[in-house]
Amino acid sequence: MKSFVYQGNPSRVVFGSGALEQLAEEIRHLGAERALILTTPEQRTMGEEIAKSLGDRCAGVYPEAVMHVPLEVAQAAREHAQRLGADCCVVVGGGSTIGLGKAIALTSGLPILAVPTTYAGSEMTPIWGVTENRLKKTGRDMRVLPRTVIYDPRLTHTLPADISACSGMNAMAHAVEALYAQDANPVISLMAEESIRALAEALPAVVANPHDEAARETALYGAWLAGICLGSVGMAIHHKLCHTLGGTFNLPHAQAHAIMLPHSAHYNREAAAGPLKRAARALGGTQAADVGPLLYALNRKLGIALDLASLGFPPEGPAETARIACDSPYYNPRPFERDAIQALLERARDGLAPA
Ligand code: NAD
């Protein structure tokens, strides 16, 4: 067996349908008394209902979270938390809302209690990101890792089927890349394989019926495991390409991940044959080369757009993305080869199966 280092991130997880009822107790467990609730404007009503249930343990609701955590939004939220004398942030929502809580924690140290309502996985990572002058700065800091995470699958029923599908494939990408990470280790690989299995099983049922309680539970369980993968080991070519697609071409985060994943996995099928065999097994295949086609078929089954062009990726996008990625590559089991990467991006742009 290869030598490895494993370090678990310290967080408390409360999982189950109806788990949100334990929120007040969990705030007490953190030693906090005045929770500021953060949401997006769209999830404000959910935040206000939660505030009502907390009574005077709630300092207020701040429904101003937006995509990519603009610095001005982060600063206004930090001032608001301080003005209200909040002693913890309860973040209810997806990666954007959790990102705002992290921006507050980064400068104030306020503990975060996260209640995720998508599958993006930010709640399990010490990674923060703030956007200034259209440039997203990211970093790792243990102060931003949520201390407690309440996973209540009932809160995901309102996530529309199409967003659930892409968000679930975004989670799948964390698990697939964890298998061939530079610092992969046996514990995280177990979680990654189980995450892929759970997501592949649950997502078609979620898309068929967004109120399928058992499928929502399994999908959120898979997303939790994928979040642990993302927070524990380094990501590779797939994340490099998706960061470029988001940063340079402003493509939507979860959709870009979903479309790119079959192509990225296929690119690594020989260099990471052993690790990808585990992904194949979890997807119902047998060998590494099955993973790309199986993920592509899963996207199709989930009704996800298969082409980056429909997200606004321009004809010259593949060449530019390949150039940017090769200028500052991440670790990847197969070296970054500019022509091969441009070719896979052309296939992804046009919605073709990985080849
Ligand atoms: P999001 O948080 O932007 O949410 C998308 C939309 O869905 C929002 O309008 C939100 O209000 C709505 N929504 C969320 N849950 C809902 C529900 N249950 N019902 C109805 N509507 C709901 O999207 P996301 O994909 O979760 O997060 C993407 C962002 O998170 C990106 O900026 C990404 O960079 C970041 N991210 C960060 C990390 C990290 O570790 N720091 C990890 C993953 C993602």
Side-chain angles (χ1 to χ4, degrees):
M1 183 180 276
K2 249 176 72 184
S3 314
F4 63 89
V5 172
Y6 168 73
Q7 171 146 3
N9 285 332
S11 67
R12 176 178 165 89
V13 169
V14 180
F15 188 104
S17 284
L20 187 64
E21 285 161 24
Q22 293 168 55
L23 179 60
E25 199 181 313
E26 289 301 326
I27 293 173
R28 239 189 317 271
H29 190 268
L30 275 180
E33 287 173 351
R34 285 179 63 73
L36 175 63
I37 298 177
L38 306 181
T39 68
T40 57
E42 296 83 8
Q43 289 181 285
R44 178 188 198 133
T45 310
M46 196 185 260
E48 285 171 350
E49 279 164 16
I50 293 172
K52 214 186 286 167
S53 74
L54 288 180
D56 56 12
R57 260 180 203 279
C58 179
V61 179
Y62 193 71
E64 308 293 343
V66 290
M67 276 277 258
H68 303 310
V69 198
L71 181 63
E72 322 72 83
V73 175
Q75 274 166 346
R78 287 166 180 160
E79 283 161 20
H80 193 76
Q82 198 174 21
R83 219 175 11 252
L84 294 179
D87 57 5
C88 85
C89 282
V90 171
V91 295
V92 184
S96 299
T97 309
I98 296 169
L100 183 60
K102 287 177 167 182
I104 296 175
L106 187 64
T107 54
S108 67
L110 277 195
I112 298 174
L113 191 158
V115 184
T117 63
T118 71
Y119 303 131
S122 177
E123 68 280 358
M124 296 311 295
T125 84
I127 305 163
W128 56 269
V130 174
T131 303
E132 188 177 7
N133 298 329
R134 303 187 60 227
L135 258 186
K136 194 165 183 175
K137 253 201 268 172
T138 61
R140 289 178 89 93
D141 192 311
M142 287 310 281
R143 279 178 305 177
V144 311
L145 178 74
R147 304 265 186 94
T148 304
V149 182
I150 296 182
Y151 284 105
D152 188 339
R154 286 187 191 160
L155 301 183
T156 62
H157 285 214
T158 47
L159 193 64
D162 56 338
I163 302 180
S164 300
C166 292
S167 186
M169 292 306 287
N170 181 191
M172 179 80 86
H174 307 328
V176 169
E177 289 234 295
L179 287 170
Y180 52 66
Q182 187 169 26
D183 49 354
N185 66 70
V187 174
I188 293 301
S189 296
L190 281 171
M191 292 190 190
E193 189 175 338
E194 170 70 354
S195 166
I196 295 167
R197 190 202 57 72
L199 290 165
E201 175 196 313
L203 292 177
V206 163
V207 168
N209 173 12
H211 296 286
D212 181 330
E213 187 132 350
R216 284 294 191 183
E217 282 173 2
T218 306
L220 197 57
Y221 162 68
W224 164 49
L225 296 176
I228 298 176
C229 292
L230 177 68
S232 304
V233 297
M235 297 286 114
I237 189 167
H238 171 75
H239 279 75
K240 177 68 199 183
L241 295 176
C242 288
H243 290 159
T244 308
L245 295 173
T248 306
F249 295 99
N250 206 23
L251 301 194
H253 179 83
Q255 287 92 322
H257 268 278
I259 295 172
M260 283 304 297
L261 185 60
H263 300 276
S264 313
H266 205 61
Y267 182 83
N268 282 331
R269 67 194 178 284
E270 283 168 14
L276 281 173
K277 201 170 166 181
R278 297 183 71 159
R281 189 162 65 194
L283 290 165
T286 55
Q287 48 187 339
D290 295 339
V291 175
L294 284 169
L295 289 170
Y296 184 80
L298 181 57
N299 275 345
R300 188 189 283 278
K301 190 169 176 182
L302 296 175
I304 292 172
L306 301 170
D307 64 313
L308 294 175
S310 65
L311 305 182
F313 193 48
E316 70 283 7
E320 198 177 341
T321 306
R323 181 187 60 74
I324 295 171
C326 292
D327 281 351
S328 57
Y330 291 177
Y331 162 81
N332 192 58
R334 174 178 169 186
F336 276 51
E337 295 165 21
R338 191 156 158 181
D339 290 347
I341 293 172
Q342 182 175 334
L344 81 78
L345 284 158
E346 282 164 358
R347 295 188 74 81
R349 179 197 58 202
D350 298 340
L352 302 173

